[in-house]
RNA sequence: UGGGGCGUCGCCAAGCGGUAAGGCAACGGAUUUUGAUUCCGUCAUACGGAGGUUCGAAUCCUCCCGCCCCAGCCA
């Protein structure tokens, strides 16, 4: 495994080698208007990762220039999520709002230099004056105001003399530029709004363009890394820094933002999912937010591994969500202790096992890690197995329990199905089996083989629990591609099973800690658990080749080449029942 | 007939003029008290297309095609 490299790191390395900079300073600059998601995780890993690898620092800076959208709750959650992801900004916690006074002074500097003017043009007119993509814009009639008048008006804007929208401060650049961002961009707007940090001190707020590069310069950021859609802003970023007495000269670099199949990473849409109650909240385990993913049971290391695997480039791309599942499994497999849980219980009565008797068996906590130790499980006359592990009339390739068939109960005994107890309508109530006492622990002295080993729990001490099985939030690989995103919501994105049975060792599992339910997947206890009723979330399933075998109609299905634009549909894990 | 970008295996992604890394997926096979894991093997004469330069091009040049972003007083 070679060390991580990408074009950003190449640039940093070259800048260090050429002496363009002696140190490296990056920043992660979220606007506190929502929760962080997987796209942010990519940026966080990149910015903090680069800083760490090159002995520099990465700042956490809140880009809080638009008070109408920002909230303290988001400031708090962002810090929590970045920390949870495993990164530390140390002393370097900043807010663009900390620079409002400096920014204001620089705005006056531009006015003095004749490079900025107060414009009274109403928003609608300003839009039409801006021209179109193919036609140049027209100069505002206020573009030629005197420095003194501009200064006076700008100061009165700050003083709160004018209502929202009455005037703005604009940079005087080029209304005919092919780059729309250079057609006299707005630098300040009037906003009589309460800011989570500066309260009511300000009546005007700088725009992104007038705050971001300057904040970078104030903090002596060397490499300001953002996503591709800001590419067109770079000439403005540079123009502004060229025309103020900037304390340092940061440079902007852009990379492709993250897209994932069956997933939406638009803060606007995520906000709607929450506000319209399509999910239970920002940390709903189906959400692609860091908080949701954490609640689902995904460890931070898995997210970092996912980000490492997908790389950083400038090419537009959409990562297959399976890639995330694979990183989760690869992280959890060596770490998660194994336990047994039955999601859809089917009672089994061991007819030759003495009534009222139980015994204790030893089970290992991890097959590849002896140091994980062992635990004990109870065995008795009545046990439960997974309903889908029994078929009355099994097809050829079904290895599990069936009438007359012998299988192994993991860590316990071989059992053979001898009969079926039925209800009045012929439904299966329970299975009658016999066990072979000589196979205790799971090995037959005569070394006879069975085709399957199945998980189970004892009726005597099983704990009832609720288990929530999550599937993709969206049913379409590219949600919204055909119109309304909400129309692509997966109606079956969660399945709640309320009569699951757990081995007792699971009852007091810590919330959020990953555990593997053998043969089923990775799960963790949810915070909705009560002392009497545990609730578990499925983080992700195990690879399931049986499900694949089952799914294929015939082996002769022609290997169809995916048509352009379409994607393989077999992306879901464990679509049981 | 505006400006800025991007096109390498089904999906990501290395490659920076010297003869196509790696990961995910897929497909074979071995081991297996999880149809899991692990292990071994297969998987681009080919780099959007066409020309050109060169002993040699995914890498340089020209033209063409396709896709993405920009007309918020959002970020």
């Amino acid at each position: 495994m070679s060390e991580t490299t990408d074009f950003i790191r190449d640039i940093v390395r070259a800048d260090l080698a050429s002496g363009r900079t002696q140190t490296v300073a990056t920043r992660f600059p979220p606007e506190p208007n929502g929760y962080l998601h997987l796209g942010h995780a990519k940026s966080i890993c990149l910015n903090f990762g680069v800083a760490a690898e090159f002995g520099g620092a990465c700042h956490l800076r809140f880009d809080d220039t638009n008070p109408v959208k920002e909230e303290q709750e988001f400031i708090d959650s962002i810090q929590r999520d970045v920390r949870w992801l495993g990164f530390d900004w140390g002393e370097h916690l900043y807010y663009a709002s900390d620079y409002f006074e400096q920014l204001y002074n620089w705005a006056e500097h531009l006015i003095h230099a004749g490079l900025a003017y107060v414009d009274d043009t109403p928003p609608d007119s300003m839009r039409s004056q801006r021209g179109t993509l193919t036609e140049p814009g027209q100069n505002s009639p206020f573009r030629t105001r005197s420095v003194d008048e501009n200064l006076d008006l700008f100061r009165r804007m700050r003083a709160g003399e004018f209502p929202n929208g009455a005037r703005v401060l604009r940079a005087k650049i080029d209304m005919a530029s092919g780059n729309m961002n250079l057609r006299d961009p707005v630098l300040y707007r009037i906003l009589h709004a309460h800011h989570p940090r500066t309260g009511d001190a300000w009546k005007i707020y700088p725009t992104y363009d007038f705050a971001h590069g300057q904040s970078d310069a104030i903090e002596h950021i060397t490499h300001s890394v953002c996503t591709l859609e800001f590419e067109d802003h770079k000439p403005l970023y540079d123009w502004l820094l060229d025309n103020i007495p900037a304390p340092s000269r940061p440079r902007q670099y852009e990379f492709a933002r993250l897209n994932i199949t069956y997933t939406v990473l638009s803060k606007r849409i995520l906000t709607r999912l929450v506000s319209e109650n399509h999910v239970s909240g920002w940390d709903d385990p189906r959400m692609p937010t860091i908080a949701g993913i954490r609640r689902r049971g995904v460890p931070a290391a898995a997210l970092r591994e996912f980000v490492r695997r997908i790389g950083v480039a400038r090419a537009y791309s959409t990562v297959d969500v399976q890639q995330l599942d694979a990183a989760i499994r690869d992280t959890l497999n060596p770490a998660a202790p194994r336990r047994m849980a039955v999601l859809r219980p089917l009672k089994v009565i061991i007819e030759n096992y003495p009534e009222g008797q139980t015994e204790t068996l030893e089970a290992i906590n991890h097959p590849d890690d002896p140091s994980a130790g062992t635990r004990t499980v109870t065995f008795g006359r009545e046990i439960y197995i997974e309903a889908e592990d029994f078929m009355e009339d099994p097809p050829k390739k079904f290895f599990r329990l069936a009438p007359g068939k012998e299988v192994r109960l993991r860590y316990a005994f071989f059992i053979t199905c001898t009969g079926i107890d039925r209800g009045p309508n012929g439904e299966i109530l329970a299975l009658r089996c016999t066990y072979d006492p000589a196979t205790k622990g799971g090995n037959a002295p005569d070394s006879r083989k069975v085709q399957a080993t199945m998980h189970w729990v004892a009726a005597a001490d099983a704990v009832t629990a609720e288990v929530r099985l999550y599937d993709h939030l969206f049913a379409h690989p590219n949600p919204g591609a055909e119109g309304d995103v909400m129309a692509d919501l997966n109606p079956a994105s969660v399945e709640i099973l309320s009569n699951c049975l757990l081995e007792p060792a699971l009852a007091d599992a810590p919330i959020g800690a990953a555990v593997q339910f053998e043969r089923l997947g990775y799960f963790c206890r949810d915070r909705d658990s009560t002392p009497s009723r545990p609730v578990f979330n499925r983080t992700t399933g195990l690879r399931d080749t049986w499900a694949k075998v089952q799914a294929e109609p015939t082996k002769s299905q022609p290997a169809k080449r995916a048509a352009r634009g379409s994607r393989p549909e077999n992306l879901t894990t464990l679509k049981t029942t």
Side-chain angles (χ1 to χ4, degrees):
Chain A
M1 241 174 285
S2 56
E3 70 184 62
T4 311
T5 201
D6 51 62
F7 78 99
I8 295 289
R9 278 172 246 251
D10 287 346
I11 289 167
V12 172
R13 211 170 282 124
D15 285 346
L16 251 16
S18 73
R20 195 219 118 202
T21 180
Q22 269 69 54
T23 57
V24 174
T26 57
R27 102 269 90 113
F28 172 61
E31 181 189 14
N33 66 344
Y35 277 60
L36 261 23
H37 55 63
L38 285 165
H40 296 108
K42 179 178 179 181
S43 174
I44 292 166
C45 290
L46 212 212
N47 280 295
F48 280 92
V50 164
E53 287 158 39
F54 293 94
C58 179
H59 303 181
L60 172 60
R61 181 171 74 231
F62 288 98
D63 225 331
D64 54 350
T65 57
N66 185 5
V68 312
K69 289 185 173 179
E70 297 152 8
E71 293 174 25
Q72 187 62 40
E73 178 196 350
F74 300 136
I75 293 176
D76 297 337
S77 74
I78 287 168
Q79 296 191 49
R80 193 186 315 134
D81 289 346
V82 173
R83 249 187 232 112
W84 176 79
L85 245 193
F87 298 102
D88 180 12
W89 53 86
E91 305 288 283
H92 304 290
L93 174 62
Y94 305 109
Y95 296 82
S97 55
D98 292 342
Y99 312 136
F100 280 174
E101 192 63 40
Q102 173 67 270
L103 260 17
Y104 176 84
N105 290 332
W106 279 332
E108 286 208 353
H109 176 91
L110 287 180
I111 292 172
H112 276 115
L115 295 173
Y117 63 98
V118 172
D119 195 338
D120 305 353
T121 308
D124 285 350
S125 312
M126 200 183 289
R127 189 177 320 125
S128 50
Q129 281 174 19
R130 188 154 24 233
T132 68
L133 295 178
T134 51
E135 297 166 302
Q138 292 165 352
N139 285 170
S140 163
F142 301 97
R143 202 175 199 257
T144 52
R145 275 222 257 240
S146 71
V147 168
D148 287 344
E149 189 182 2
N150 281 322
L151 231 34
D152 173 61
L153 254 14
F154 189 48
R155 287 172 181 166
R156 288 165 62 193
M157 280 169 63
R158 173 176 184 168
E161 287 188 29
F162 312 117
N164 288 357
R167 293 176 224 265
V168 294
L169 182 74
R170 290 227 260 172
K172 192 185 290 185
I173 308 181
D174 178 9
M175 288 305 291
S177 173
N179 183 340
M180 301 299 288
N181 294 300
L182 264 21
R183 318 247 267 222
D184 289 9
V186 171
L187 269 23
Y188 269 92
R189 72 285 214 190
I190 298 168
L191 244 32
H192 293 266
H194 188 82
H195 187 285
R197 289 186 58 82
T198 60
D200 300 312
W202 291 86
K203 311 300 177 195
I204 57 173
Y205 290 88
T207 56
Y208 163 85
D209 286 309
F210 196 65
H212 204 96
Q214 285 83 330
S215 300
D216 286 342
I218 291 168
E219 294 174 22
H220 288 78
I221 296 301
T222 55
H223 301 263
S224 182
V225 181
C226 60
T227 44
L228 250 21
E229 65 269 29
F230 290 100
E231 223 169 351
D232 288 344
H233 291 251
K234 183 152 56 182
L236 177 54
Y237 181 104
D238 289 333
W239 185 93
L240 287 167
L241 292 178
D242 282 344
N243 289 293
I244 60 166
S248 77
R249 193 48 203 264
R251 290 196 193 175
Q252 176 183 308
Y253 300 97
E254 313 84 17
F255 68 96
R257 69 184 311 147
L258 177 63
N259 296 296
I260 305 177
T261 57
Y262 296 97
T263 306
V264 160
L265 294 179
S266 143
K267 227 190 254 179
R268 203 190 103 250
I269 309 280
L270 297 181
T271 303
R272 271 187 69 195
L273 288 171
V274 173
S275 65
E276 294 173 15
N277 295 311
H278 290 111
V279 295
S280 64
W282 285 99
D283 70 345
D284 185 299
R286 294 166 294 177
M287 287 284 273
T289 52
I290 292 177
I293 280 169
R294 171 172 61 231
R295 186 171 171 196
R296 224 218 300 165
V298 176
L303 243 37
R304 279 186 248 118
E305 174 62 11
F306 168 67
V307 169
R308 190 189 68 75
R309 290 183 187 188
I310 61 176
V312 179
R314 288 177 63 89
Y316 300 95
S317 61
T318 300
V319 174
D320 195 321
V321 70
Q322 279 182 122
Q323 189 96 244
L324 174 60
D325 290 325
I328 293 170
R329 287 193 206 102
D330 290 348
T331 304
L332 255 21
N333 175 48
R338 314 285 125 127
R339 294 288 184 269
M340 293 198 289
V342 174
L343 266 27
R344 298 174 179 86
L346 172 58
K347 183 186 277 193
V348 171
I349 299 160
I350 316 286
E351 297 194 285
N352 59 340
Y353 196 89
E355 222 149 331
Q357 182 181 312
T358 60
E359 67 188 287
T360 293
L361 300 164
E362 189 174 51
I364 57 171
N365 290 329
H366 194 109
D368 308 320
D369 179 14
S371 75
T374 61
R375 67 188 187 284
T376 56
V377 290
T378 303
F379 189 77
R381 181 177 158 87
E382 288 192 6
I383 63 160
Y384 289 91
I385 64 167
E386 205 66 62
E388 66 174 32
D389 280 342
F390 173 79
M391 278 186 104
E392 192 174 354
D393 187 20
K396 196 74 195 129
K397 285 190 275 192
F398 187 79
F399 298 159
R400 285 107 97 144
L401 197 61
K405 215 167 162 204
E406 182 172 55
V407 298
R408 170 165 43 228
L409 293 178
R410 190 148 165 92
Y411 311 124
F413 301 93
F414 284 11
I415 59 168
T416 303
C417 179
T418 54
I420 300 172
D421 286 356
R422 294 179 190 282
N425 301 313
E427 73 273 21
I428 298 175
L429 260 28
L431 264 26
R432 319 291 310 195
C433 289
T434 57
Y435 86 116
D436 177 356
T439 59
K440 180 166 178 172
N443 288 305
D446 61 0
S447 67
R448 70 178 187 278
K449 303 292 186 215
V450 287
Q451 276 184 303
T453 298
M454 297 169 11
H455 62 279
W456 56 278
V457 294
D461 62 358
V463 175
T464 303
E466 173 177 314
V467 174
R468 301 169 179 173
L469 304 181
Y470 297 105
D471 195 354
H472 307 310
L473 224 202
F474 291 89
H476 190 104
N478 183 9
E482 280 144 38
D484 183 16
V485 197
M486 298 303 170
D488 288 332
L489 275 165
N490 177 5
S493 57
V494 59
E495 181 177 9
I496 297 179
L497 302 173
S498 47
N499 292 305
C500 306
L501 296 172
L502 315 177
E503 67 165 276
L506 239 17
D508 55 353
I511 287 169
V515 62
Q516 185 194 95
F517 288 1
E518 294 208 58
R519 302 207 306 137
L520 297 174
Y522 297 97
F523 294 77
C524 75
R525 191 173 209 226
D526 189 78
R527 61 141 197 263
D528 284 351
S529 298
T530 63
S532 61
R533 184 176 183 75
V535 174
F536 277 80
N537 297 322
R538 181 175 66 193
T539 308
T540 189
L542 261 25
R543 276 188 72 223
D544 189 351
T545 54
W546 165 239
K548 241 184 320 193
V549 170
Q550 254 182 328
E552 58 191 27
T554 357
K555 191 74 178 170
S556 62
Q557 181 86 322
K560 54 178 168 205
R561 304 211 89 222
R564 235 171 92 73
S566 75
R567 295 168 195 288
E569 300 298 320
N570 58 333
L571 300 179
T572 314
T573 51
L574 249 203
K575 270 269 182 60
T576 47
T577 308

